[in-house]
Every structure is written in C-alpha cells, then in structure tokens.
C-alpha cells in the first residue's frame, strides 16, 4: 500500500480528473458558443428570407395594381371610343389603337421593372448572405455546394 507506484497512480488519477474537469468545461463552452453563432446565422437567414418574401409580395401587389390601372385605362379608352364613334370613325380607330399600345407598353415596362428589381434584390441578398457565410470560415467544398444550390433555387423563387 505504501509503494511509490501506488502513490504515483493515485496522483496521476487525481491529476487526470482535474484536467478533465477543466477541459470539459472549456470544450462545452466552445461548443455552446458555436451552436449559438449558428443559431444566430440561421435566424438572420430566416429574417432575410422573410424580408425578400415581403418585398416580392410588395412587387407582386404593384404589378397587380399596374394591371388594374391598365385595365382601367383600356376601359376608359373603350368608353371614349364609343362616344367618339359618331363624330369621326377613322380618327377614333387610330386613337384607340395608339392608347391601347401605350397601355400595353406601360404594362410591359412596369412588369419588366418589377422583375428587374426583384432579381437585383435577390442577387444582393444572396451575395450578402454568401459573403457572411464565407467570412465565417466555411470550408471551400461546402461553400461551392451552397452557392450552386442557391443558384439552382433562384428561378424557383423568382416565379
């Protein structure tokens, strides 16, 4: 019982227990911090997604309003055409065609503008999110995979 080997073994066991106690606390703290950081990044990504969806809904509402306005313009043009038909048949036909073409141009311009804004915003959000992810030290293979996946999903989110 009083052999030096036994005392060395007891001292070693006490030393290992103390080191394990200190190391496990540090490891647990690091893992908790990493999990919290990932949770914060996921929350931020969810917020960005919700913002993008809200903007998309806003642009879709604007597009619907533009279509309603175009329909109102067309309806107004038709009423005016009925009133002017008795006065001048040829002038009326030219005026109606010109106004209808203008309304279609406005619709096309409004739709193209809304789609361009949504696309630009989506690209900006995706680039910002990618930059944040890349700055946090993601592995190159995983970054390439995430970028390819995001690019593949863009058309689905735009329509």
């Amino acid at each position: 019982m009083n052999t030096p080997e036994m005392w060395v073994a007891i001292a070693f066991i006490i030393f290992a227990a103390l080191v394990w106690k200190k190391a496990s606390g540090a490891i647990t703290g690091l893992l908790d911090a990493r999990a919290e950081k990932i949770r914060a990044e996921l929350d931020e990504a969810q917020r960005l997604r919700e913002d993008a969806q809200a903007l998309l809904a806003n642009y879709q509402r604007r597009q619907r309003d533009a279509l309603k306005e175009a329909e109102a313009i067309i309806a107004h043009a038709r009423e005016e055409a009925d009133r002017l038909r008795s006065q001048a048949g040829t002038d009326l036909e030219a005026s109606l065609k010109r106004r209808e073409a203008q309304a279609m141009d406005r619709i096309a311009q409004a739709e193209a503008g809304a789609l361009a804004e949504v696309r630009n915003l989506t690209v900006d959000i995706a680039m910002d999110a990618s930059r944040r992810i890349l700055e946090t030290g993601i592995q190159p293979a995983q970054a390439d995979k995430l970028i390819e996946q995001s690019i593949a999903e863009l058309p689905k989110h735009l329509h």
Side-chain angles (χ1 to χ4, degrees):
M1 172 118 183
N2 286 331
T3 63
E5 290 84 9
M6 184 187 76
W7 287 110
V8 169
I10 291 173
F12 178 75
I13 290 172
I14 292 172
F15 175 75
L18 291 175
V19 168
W20 173 254
K21 183 177 179 182
K22 294 287 184 179
S24 67
I27 291 171
T28 303
L30 289 173
L31 290 175
D32 288 345
R34 175 82 174 149
E36 186 60 36
K37 183 179 177 184
I38 291 171
R39 185 176 300 113
E41 288 175 0
L42 288 174
D43 291 344
E44 177 68 13
Q46 178 67 25
R47 187 189 62 75
L48 289 173
R49 180 175 179 265
E50 290 170 358
D51 289 348
Q53 286 177 340
L55 285 172
L56 177 62
N58 185 23
Y59 287 123
Q60 288 173 340
R61 182 184 47 78
R62 285 184 185 177
Q63 183 181 13
R64 284 192 306 271
D65 291 346
L67 288 174
K68 286 180 184 177
E69 180 183 337
E71 290 172 359
I73 290 171
I74 291 171
H76 177 71
R78 287 184 181 148
E79 290 173 5
E80 186 177 331
D82 289 340
R83 187 178 53 84
L84 294 176
R85 185 169 295 161
S86 63
Q87 294 177 5
T90 56
D91 291 343
L92 171 65
E93 193 170 317
S95 175
L96 181 61
K97 288 181 181 180
R98 188 183 69 238
R99 286 180 185 244
E100 191 170 339
Q102 288 174 349
M104 292 301 174
D105 286 344
R106 286 181 189 167
I107 291 170
Q109 289 174 356
E111 184 176 349
L115 285 174
E117 284 185 37
V118 168
R119 283 186 181 126
N120 291 338
L121 181 63
T122 303
V123 167
D124 290 345
I125 290 171
M127 289 177 62
D128 189 41
S130 297
R131 184 176 337 107
R132 285 189 197 141
I133 290 172
L134 291 174
E135 288 175 354
T136 61
I138 193 167
Q139 297 296 323
Q142 188 179 7
D144 289 343
K145 181 179 174 186
L146 287 173
I147 290 170
E148 288 176 14
Q149 182 182 6
S150 295
I151 290 171
E153 290 179 1
L154 273 177
K156 182 173 54 176
H157 293 291
L158 289 178
H159 296 292

